[in-house]
Amino acid sequence: MAVSVVGTRISAIALPWFVLSTTGSATRAGLVAFAEMTPYVLVKAFTGPLVDRAGPRTVSWTTDLVSAAAAVAVPVLHHLDALPLWLLLALVAVIGAARGPGDLAKEVLIPEAAERGAVPLERASGLAGVTERLASTLGPAAGGALIAATGPMAGLAVNAVCFAAGSLIIAVTLPRGMGRGTALPGEHPGTESGTESGARSGTGSGTRSGAGLRTGSGAGKGVEAGYWRRFGEGFAFLRGDRLLLTLSGMIAVTNLLASGFGTVLLPVWAKESGNGPATIGLLAATGGVAAIGAGLIASAVAHRMPRRPVFFVGFLCAGAPRFVVLASGAPMWVVLAVFLVDGFGSGFLNPILGAIRYERVPRPLLGRVSALVASLAWAGIPLGGLIAGAAVTSFGLAPVLLAGGTAYFLTTTLTGLRPEWREMDRSRDRTGRSPEPKEPRGGPPRARGEVPGPGPAGTPGPRPGPGR
């Protein structure tokens, strides 16, 4: 994970800077971000059943290899003076389409790793977040310095090398028994519905989280569920879980704003202020170091902390202040201090978000539900750069920064009044451990962990109760 993230973060600086330096257009810089993130979100949304079926290990290393091939083509074609804008957009779209299922596959491996290491989900999710943050810190810092010294194409070449290295690491180092495709009982011949062996299918972990899951009419008859039935089961589960659905909707808005900030507003600010790409790397590294420290703290104690207040204080620190400080024209030391606080607040968010998802979603449904959750949460990202680029062109940088900060603050505070947010802490006992999933309310008794599939006309089964 870390190696590919380093390359992605370098590319996140190199691509906008390349477009800005060659065309001077903030709108085109936003268009490049749109070309990468639109296929990322769309492909990720529909590959959940594939990850569950083929296994996250296989999906991860193959998609990283595709990303590496597309990424290396950019500097090669530019060197040959054969890289028009439309071809750059096409290659970036291929990278985004491959990254979507690749990132999903890496996320799906986390709960199995937690079981193998016998650690709480918050700790496992937090350590994964620290790894990503560390890579996100090293990537922009190294990338900003590299691009300032040699130009953006060198950064894109490093991106390709990182994707290739990440693919090799996953393929060679992960145990072959880890990350096999998980299956609902009844999806493969010889698997008995409602037995513990069905929940263990391919994971080797012996977890009971998926025991008793059914696929519908084919359950228990040795009939393999088709793609759309598997997809529909994930969709029905997500639609019935109000907390996951509301979290995803709120984060979709904050991600839209963050995307516009990172891909357009921050590079334009660095260019107009004369600070250059090295400053982008410095700010990202400052926030990243703070996020790593917060992530380590969260990994150690987050499973004992009340989630709801920590979650919203983290968003209060990590959202609006960075927009406002860039708009204010504050000196660099103030900007660095704000990004430091921003990073510290954000370091507590992913361990909570990851643990909530992992403990509420049964293992056999994890790939497809995670894909839908992530795709909904990332739905605004492709539009962030486009909207920010057009807004800066029309109104200027400072008004857009202030509007973005206001929207971020209102989104993360007003949504906290919704009643389902109280469910964040209901699914844990006082020791911080997640209990066995409870039976959904409003239906006949089911085996432990059973999740109703879609009804006869595509309607969802009973909504899981808040105790999940």
Side-chain angles (χ1 to χ4, degrees):
M1 177 188 289
V3 176
S4 60
V5 170
V6 168
T8 300
R9 296 301 183 266
I10 293 175
S11 176
I13 298 176
L15 274 173
W17 196 259
F18 170 67
V19 176
L20 283 172
S21 60
T22 55
T23 68
S25 172
T27 302
R28 290 190 176 186
L31 183 61
V32 170
F34 176 81
E36 180 177 8
M37 298 314 302
T38 299
Y40 180 99
V41 172
L42 291 176
V43 174
K44 190 174 187 177
F46 289 98
T47 51
L50 173 63
V51 172
D52 284 336
R53 182 72 176 86
R57 176 180 174 273
T58 299
V59 173
S60 178
W61 74 260
T62 54
T63 53
D64 277 353
L65 199 60
V66 173
S67 296
V72 77
V74 175
V76 169
L77 291 173
H78 177 71
H79 179 72
L80 298 173
D81 198 21
L83 188 65
L85 180 62
W86 68 266
L87 184 53
L88 174 64
L89 295 177
L91 290 171
V92 167
V94 172
I95 295 172
R99 274 186 56 214
D103 288 353
L104 171 64
K106 295 175 181 68
E107 295 170 12
V108 172
L109 287 167
I110 291 173
E112 183 177 342
E115 285 183 357
R116 288 171 177 256
V119 298
L121 286 174
E122 286 92 344
R123 182 170 300 169
S125 182
L127 290 173
V130 167
T131 302
E132 182 177 355
R133 290 288 185 177
L134 180 60
S136 298
T137 301
L138 296 175
L146 178 66
I147 294 164
T150 63
M153 285 298 110
L156 295 174
V158 171
N159 182 30
V161 172
C162 289
F163 274 126
S167 174
L168 183 64
I169 290 171
I170 292 290
V172 173
T173 63
L174 283 188
R176 292 190 177 275
M178 183 176 183
R180 296 178 189 167
T182 55
L184 297 174
E187 289 185 335
H188 297 286
T191 302
E192 297 180 5
S193 177
T195 64
E196 187 175 11
S197 62
R200 290 182 180 179
S201 176
T203 64
S205 60
T207 177
R208 295 180 54 88
S209 62
L213 281 154
R214 298 175 182 172
T215 62
S217 60
K221 298 179 181 179
V223 178
E224 183 172 334
Y227 170 86
W228 289 111
R229 177 171 291 279
R230 295 169 67 91
F231 182 86
E233 287 162 356
F235 180 79
F237 182 90
L238 177 58
R239 188 168 62 174
D241 193 307
R242 293 182 302 170
L243 178 59
L244 286 179
L245 194 60
T246 307
L247 274 171
S248 302
M250 187 203 78
I251 295 172
V253 178
T254 60
N255 278 345
L256 182 149
L257 297 169
S259 172
F261 182 87
T263 60
V264 175
L265 301 182
L266 184 58
V268 170
W269 172 83
K271 190 172 187 294
E272 291 185 356
S273 64
N275 289 302
T279 303
I280 302 176
L282 176 62
L283 293 175
T286 300
V289 168
I292 291 169
L296 289 172
I297 295 172
S299 299
V301 301
H303 60 290
R304 298 185 181 276
M305 298 174 68
R307 290 175 177 172
R308 192 181 181 194
V310 171
F311 188 75
F312 284 104
V313 170
F315 262 120
L316 184 64
C317 295
R322 55 182 170 164
F323 289 83
V324 175
V325 74
L326 295 189
S328 68
M332 182 55 64
W333 70 268
V334 176
V335 176
L336 288 170
V338 169
F339 272 71
L340 189 72
V341 174
D342 173 285
F344 189 80
S346 67
F348 285 89
L349 299 178
N350 282 343
I352 295 175
L353 290 170
I356 290 172
R357 183 171 77 251
Y358 297 142
E359 73 188 13
R360 294 176 75 89
V361 181
R363 182 67 54 79
L365 292 175
L366 187 58
R368 65 203 89 169
V369 175
S370 294
L372 291 169
V373 168
S375 296
L376 178 57
W378 284 51
I381 290 181
L383 300 175
L386 282 179
I387 295 173
V392 169
T393 301
S394 301
F395 305 107
L397 180 61
V400 175
L401 283 167
L402 291 174
T406 301
Y408 205 116
F409 175 79
L410 293 176
T411 299
T412 55
T413 53
L414 295 181
T415 52
L417 301 177
R418 294 185 59 87
E420 56 265 32
W421 295 87
R422 291 191 293 269
E423 296 182 19
M424 282 187 180
D425 290 297
R426 286 185 185 175
S427 54
R428 302 185 301 171
D429 60 24
R430 293 185 179 181
T431 66
R433 295 176 299 182
S434 302
E436 292 283 349
K438 296 182 180 179
E439 295 174 2
R441 295 181 296 182
R446 296 181 173 86
R448 179 174 295 174
E450 180 179 345
V451 177
T459 57
R463 178 181 61 82
R468 282 192 53 81

